[in-house]
Amino acid sequence: MVITGRRQFELSKRQEALLVLFLLGIGIFIRGFHFGMSPVGVHQDEAMTAVDALALSEYGTDRYGMRFPVHLTAWISSQQSVLLAYCMVPLIKAFGFSTVTIRLPMLIVSSLGILALYFLGKHLGGVRTGVLLQLLGVICPWHYMQSRWSFDCNMFPHMFLFGVCFLISGVRRKWMLYVSMVFFALCCYSYGVADYSVPLFLLAAAAYLLMRKRIGIRQLVICFCIFTVIALPEYLSMALTVLGGESIETPLFTIPSFLQSNRGEDILLTNFSWAQLWKNVVSMVSVAWGNGDKSATNTIVRFGPVYYLTVGFFILGLAVMGIRLYRGRGQRNAEAGSETTGTTETRGLAYTILLFWLFMGIWVGVVTKEVTINRINVIFYVILAIGAVGIDWCIEKRKLLFLPIGAYYGVCALLFAATYFGSWADVSRIYYYDPYVQALEFAENFECDVYYITPDPQGEGVGAVGEILTMYCHEIDALYYQGVSNFQAGVERLPYRDRYLYADVSEEVLAANAGKAVVYLVNANFLHLFDGERYDITSFYDNYFVIVEK
């Protein structure tokens, strides 16, 4: 490595590759530490995706029997995107069905995101910016937390990041431009907000690239065709839902229509009010640049989504980028004219694309109802990237600033790790239903005819959560669930609807089932109905109890 008197330090290709791989290795190691055990338990949405992925791996349908859907029915009134479920399928086939295998896709994709951050940073300012951005990604609280559990919408920011990296590189290598369209189209199968945000970004990028003569009409038409062919089934599904059409079955997949969907209520444009607009803006600023959405599944408020100092560097980086674009000159690279990313022209392009990305994220925050971290997740990579530009500018001006900046992030990362595996782990087990999941897994050990399962671990009246967690823990066969077969795990049973009863118990229920092979899973509110001399009672954190007659 050579430290030059100029703005960047120079690495040989081998040194550069080793450094990038070393940082990637650190990122993978810390994300893989106690993987599958923290967060402990299972979130209802990842359980939902996993159950559909299990059905797809066995029968090529979701759990309702829909053949290779392009969008998942999920909760019926609210749906899920399909990309994460399809990514789970080969892992389930290869390694079996477990919490580890269903969470592996997010770990893998998030790790690739760390690698992509280096190349994005290199486009923005050379090797040093790339390393800084990669480091920010390695220790970022948002990135770390979302990589350790599976939520369908969290595929979106990674697919978009890959698309942006290929888009910038594709200006020089046209085949990469076409690959970028594949990832942008996959965004539409990652999260519903991509349907009304990614096309706006692509429209702005296309106009800019045409204006700057970086692409021609021929390349634009090819890109449009690639994106349209891949994304069209998703848009047809949304159109059928809005227009009230019937689902379309093709030889390869099903384009579903969700007539009971309530997702349209989350979009400001379908139900505009100034009051809601203001709430959306406040939520966006608070979530993206503040302390997050305060949900235990997404945020540790003490650190925020990206660490609070990063927000300051983001503001600085935004100013630096604006000034450089206005002056018409990008930051110089250590080797002027380098084909990789060092040219002023390429850096200006990267800055502009990044600003389009930022505006797209703001658009999502404005038109989506009171965003959470999950709903505006596409903005966090761009906050990190612009923050890295700000940090790089500080180090360029005063190299010794590397020490206090590095110390701040080092201390934050250590404190975050201690909190994540300490106090947060204890709190989060409630939000990932760990006591309920443990009770379900224990209840499966009993040979019985009927399960009475308290239906609403998320709160009174939310019965679907109890059922999907049961289906996950007991690995309910899709055909058994549909009533097509009475075989579950190779054993003939009562029909699913007769064997699994999601209802609170009563004295009448106990009297009717006296002497029968019944397992009860109840919460503490119903424990008084069971006589300890007549029933064996097993407690799980004094929240849920598995009870069988002696």
Side-chain angles (χ1 to χ4, degrees), residues 39-164:
V40 63
V42 179
H43 191 271
Q44 71 265 28
D45 285 305
E46 68 178 334
M48 176 74 74
T49 306
V51 168
D52 281 327
L54 179 62
L56 286 165
S57 71
E58 294 177 338
Y59 304 111
T61 71
D62 65 7
R63 72 182 189 280
Y64 296 107
M66 184 180 292
R67 184 174 178 274
F68 294 117
V70 301
H71 209 97
L72 294 174
T73 304
W75 303 100
I76 300 180
S77 61
S78 60
Q79 294 71 50
Q80 285 189 337
S81 299
V82 297
L83 183 59
L84 178 57
Y86 283 112
C87 289
M88 289 180 183
V89 168
L91 294 169
I92 292 172
K93 280 184 169 293
F95 305 110
F97 188 76
S98 69
T99 303
V100 171
T101 53
I102 69 158
R103 289 178 175 176
L104 266 178
M106 285 309 308
L107 175 64
I108 294 170
V109 172
S110 298
S111 298
L112 292 174
I114 292 174
L115 181 62
L117 282 177
Y118 172 76
F119 293 105
L120 177 61
K122 193 175 179 185
H123 284 305
L124 294 170
V127 173
R128 185 174 66 203
T129 311
V131 170
L132 289 171
L133 181 50
Q134 190 178 18
L135 278 169
L136 284 180
V138 167
I139 63 173
C140 172
W142 161 75
H143 194 279
Y144 187 85
M145 293 181 75
Q146 60 81 41
S147 72
R148 291 177 61 89
W149 68 291
S150 283
F151 198 7
D152 62 310
C153 64
N154 283 332
M155 294 290 280
F156 178 27
H158 306 299
M159 294 300 111
F160 196 83
L161 171 64
F162 302 153
V164 166

Side-chain angles (χ1 to χ4, degrees), residues 40 425-435 457 541 543:
V40 63
D426 293 332
V427 172
S428 66
R429 70 169 60 246
I430 303 300
Y431 294 91
Y432 288 87
Y433 307 104
D434 179 48
Y541 296 93
N543 290 327

Side-chain angles (χ1 to χ4, degrees), residues 249-287:
E249 294 187 19
T250 75
L252 298 178
F253 50 79
T254 302
I255 302 173
S257 174
F258 304 109
L259 301 183
Q260 300 180 51
S261 177
N262 59 14
R263 283 304 192 191
E265 299 173 3
D266 295 334
I267 304 174
L268 180 68
L269 301 179
T270 63
N271 190 22
F272 182 83
S273 75
W274 291 107
Q276 188 60 56
L277 173 63
W278 174 247
K279 290 179 181 178
N280 290 356
V281 172
V282 171
S283 294
M284 173 187 64
V285 174
S286 174
V287 170

Side-chain angles (χ1 to χ4, degrees), residues 152-389:
D152 62 310
C153 64
N154 283 332
M155 294 290 280
F156 178 27
H158 306 299
M159 294 300 111
F160 196 83
L161 171 64
F162 302 153
V164 166
C165 289
F166 277 104
L167 176 64
I168 297 172
S169 298
V171 172
R172 289 181 174 274
R173 301 175 178 87
K174 290 300 184 284
W175 68 269
M176 290 189 175
L177 187 67
Y178 306 141
V179 171
S180 75
M181 293 301 112
V182 175
F183 285 108
F184 287 130
L186 288 177
C187 289
C188 298
Y189 298 97
S190 304
Y191 195 25
V193 301
D195 293 348
Y196 56 83
S197 58
V198 172
L200 296 179
F201 169 85
L202 292 177
L203 184 63
Y208 171 77
L209 293 173
L210 281 173
M211 182 181 67
R212 297 298 300 270
K213 299 181 179 179
R214 305 304 299 273
I215 62 171
I217 295 297
R218 179 174 176 272
Q219 286 83 33
L220 180 63
V221 170
I222 294 173
C223 287
F224 175 81
C225 290
I226 293 172
F227 178 84
T228 301
V229 167
I230 298 174
L232 184 60
E234 165 67 10
Y235 282 101
L236 286 175
S237 177
M238 297 302 103
L240 290 172
T241 298
V242 172
L243 299 175
E246 297 295 326
S247 299
I248 300 174
E249 294 187 19
T250 75
L252 298 178
F253 50 79
T254 302
I255 302 173
S257 174
F258 304 109
L259 301 183
Q260 300 180 51
S261 177
N262 59 14
R263 283 304 192 191
E265 299 173 3
D266 295 334
I267 304 174
L268 180 68
L269 301 179
T270 63
N271 190 22
F272 182 83
S273 75
W274 291 107
Q276 188 60 56
L277 173 63
W278 174 247
K279 290 179 181 178
N280 290 356
V281 172
V282 171
S283 294
M284 173 187 64
V285 174
S286 174
V287 170
W289 291 282
N291 54 16
D293 58 14
K294 301 181 182 179
S295 165
T297 59
N298 297 320
T299 314
I300 298 177
V301 174
R302 182 181 179 187
F303 303 98
V306 295
Y307 298 123
Y308 294 110
L309 186 59
T310 306
V311 177
F313 285 124
F314 165 82
I315 296 171
L316 176 60
L318 198 60
V320 169
M321 289 170 55
I323 291 171
R324 287 173 176 168
L325 285 172
Y326 179 75
R327 291 176 177 174
R329 62 186 185 188
Q331 183 182 3
R332 291 175 296 171
N333 194 43
E335 295 184 10
S338 168
E339 189 186 68
T340 53
T341 55
T343 64
T344 296
E345 189 177 15
T346 301
R347 192 159 305 147
L349 166 67
Y351 282 179
T352 304
I353 295 298
L354 205 63
L355 290 176
F356 289 158
W357 185 352
L358 176 63
F359 294 146
M360 186 196 80
I362 293 173
W363 163 258
V364 169
V366 169
V367 303
T368 307
K369 184 178 180 180
E370 298 175 43
V371 291
T372 61
I373 280 183
N374 298 320
R375 292 186 172 189
I376 201 171
N377 53 19
V378 74
I379 206 170
F380 292 112
Y381 269 138
V382 73
I383 290 175
L384 292 177
I386 296 175
V389 172

Side-chain angles (χ1 to χ4, degrees), residues 391-538:
I391 295 173
D392 184 73
W393 183 86
C394 290
I395 295 173
E396 177 187 323
K397 295 300 181 182
R398 294 288 185 272
K399 291 182 174 58
L400 288 179
L401 285 176
F402 167 77
L403 296 175
I405 292 173
Y408 169 83
Y409 281 108
V411 170
C412 282
L414 291 174
L415 290 174
F416 173 79
T419 304
Y420 183 87
F421 290 102
S423 59
W424 181 85
D426 293 332
V427 172
S428 66
R429 70 169 60 246
I430 303 300
Y431 294 91
Y432 288 87
Y433 307 104
D434 179 48
Y436 194 79
V437 167
Q438 287 193 38
L440 284 169
E441 292 173 343
F442 180 75
E444 192 181 16
N445 295 324
F446 293 94
E447 182 61 37
C448 67
D449 294 326
V450 176
Y451 289 100
Y452 264 92
I453 300 174
T454 189
D456 45 12
Q458 190 180 28
E460 187 174 352
V462 194
V465 173
E467 181 174 22
I468 199 62
L469 291 176
T470 301
M471 293 184 69
Y472 173 84
C473 293
H474 290 199
E475 297 183 33
I476 299 298
D477 183 88
L479 297 182
Y480 180 58
Y481 172 73
Q482 296 162 30
V484 176
S485 167
N486 284 339
F487 282 87
Q488 165 64 19
V491 179
E492 188 169 9
R493 302 288 190 182
L494 289 175
Y496 172 79
R497 301 297 174 187
D498 295 332
R499 188 166 192 244
Y500 287 90
L501 304 177
Y502 302 96
D504 292 323
V505 299
S506 63
E507 291 181 354
E508 291 75 15
V509 169
L510 295 180
N513 288 286
K516 297 180 181 179
V518 179
V519 174
Y520 301 95
L521 193 163
V522 303
N523 62 33
N525 294 330
F526 298 90
L527 187 60
H528 68 278
L529 297 174
F530 297 90
D531 183 354
E533 295 184 359
R534 180 180 172 186
Y535 295 94
D536 284 326
I537 301 174
T538 304

